[in-house]
Amino acid sequence: MDDAEVLALFDRRVRREARPDGPGCRIERVGGVVRQTGPAEAWNGVLWSGLTASSADRAIEEQVRHFTSLGREFEWKLYEHDEPGDLGDRLRAAGFAPGPREALMVAETARIAAVPAALPAGVDLVPVTDAAGVDLLMDVHDRAFGTDGTRLRRRLLRQLAEQAGTVVAVVAVAAGRPVSSARMETAPGTGFAGLWGGGTVPEWRGRGLYRALVAHRARIAADRGHPWLQVDASDDSRPVLARLGFTVLSTTTPYDYRPDATTG
């Protein structure tokens, strides 16, 4: 795997040539920016930018005007190799708040699909296909991450109802209780399948569930013909993914803009 070639492919197919990732979303290309605009529960934000020191501030102002006119919070998804080099500083100056930096990690799907990753005894995988399954997934989300999952729940319900073929979600259940969950987003034609939301409740960590769910999703991605897996990895998941065979190609930082936070 040539890291530079794969990163260039990711930038082109997943970011510059992005497709809408949910119902009601649209991709817009305005000047040097590719953005997604959608309903309130969707991900709204900037996927890619090709800016210079002379064009960056104007482009930032335009995105703020666009999303705030719709009443949307939004994210500028900044990668460390994006230009200009001080784009993060410019975003902060414009009122954006940076979130935790994550590693962009990629692996060949076939390699990860072949990883032996047995589930612990007494644990079963339940595919998420309806509202009851989403409730199980959100139970894990609340206990694993401790963050508000209201928008995620609404987005998943709408995806399953209107675009079920683009999302794979699964819950690991032990003795009738959900203990781990994960999602995968697939965009036909990109070659990449994105792994998201892998989380395990505290009392079940360290038993191989995260690894098993990565391998499970990799096998589905392989069956669907996606040669690459992509993860935005936290500091906790990065070592596990590296041991499985994922490679760090870049880092990415979410810069969030919330109109209420900036206007006081």
Side-chain angles (χ1 to χ4, degrees), residues 119 125 170-172 180-182 199 208-218:
L119 290 165
L125 292 186
V170 63
V171 177
S180 188
S181 65
L209 283 171
Y210 182 87
R211 175 189 177 99
L213 292 183
V214 169
H216 173 76
R217 288 173 288 169

Side-chain angles (χ1 to χ4, degrees), residues 28-226:
E28 300 163 317
R29 293 169 175 84
V30 182
V33 167
V34 177
R35 69 190 180 207
Q36 175 169 286
T37 303
E41 73 272 8
W43 184 87
N44 284 269
V46 174
L47 293 153
W48 177 85
S49 64
L51 303 173
T52 65
S54 61
S55 66
D57 291 339
R58 185 170 61 253
I60 292 169
E61 291 173 4
E62 203 285 323
Q63 304 319 307
V64 170
R65 284 195 301 270
H66 168 73
F67 286 106
T68 55
S69 71
L70 299 173
R72 297 284 185 269
E73 299 177 357
F74 74 103
E75 174 187 323
W76 192 301
K77 194 165 178 59
L78 179 67
Y79 291 77
E80 68 174 343
H81 58 283
D82 289 345
E83 295 291 341
D86 64 348
L87 186 52
D89 293 335
R90 293 170 185 263
L91 290 169
R92 282 190 290 270
F96 289 74
R101 186 174 62 176
E102 297 178 313
L104 170 64
M105 303 187 77
V106 172
E108 295 178 68
T109 302
R111 177 177 180 180
I112 307 304
V115 169
L119 290 165
V123 176
D124 297 310
L125 292 186
V126 177
V128 174
T129 60
D130 55 20
V134 172
D135 286 343
L136 292 176
L137 185 146
M138 296 314 303
D139 185 301
V140 174
H141 179 278
D142 292 345
R143 290 187 288 147
F145 300 116
T147 56
D148 183 4
T150 303
R151 289 174 58 186
L152 173 60
R153 186 180 193 280
R154 291 201 299 262
R155 185 165 72 245
L156 278 174
L157 287 171
R158 189 168 179 185
Q159 279 183 289
L160 290 171
E162 301 180 32
Q163 295 180 347
T166 65
V167 60
V168 173
V170 63
V171 177
V173 177
R177 188 89 188 272
V179 296
S180 188
S181 65
R183 312 187 317 274
M184 179 170 70
E185 305 276 349
T186 60
T190 66
F192 290 84
L195 306 186
W196 303 96
T200 302
V201 301
E203 62 270 27
W204 274 85
R205 290 172 186 164
R207 306 193 199 185
L209 283 171
Y210 182 87
R211 175 189 177 99
L213 292 183
V214 169
H216 173 76
R217 288 173 288 169
R219 289 189 285 272
I220 295 173
D223 289 342
R224 295 187 178 187
H226 297 278

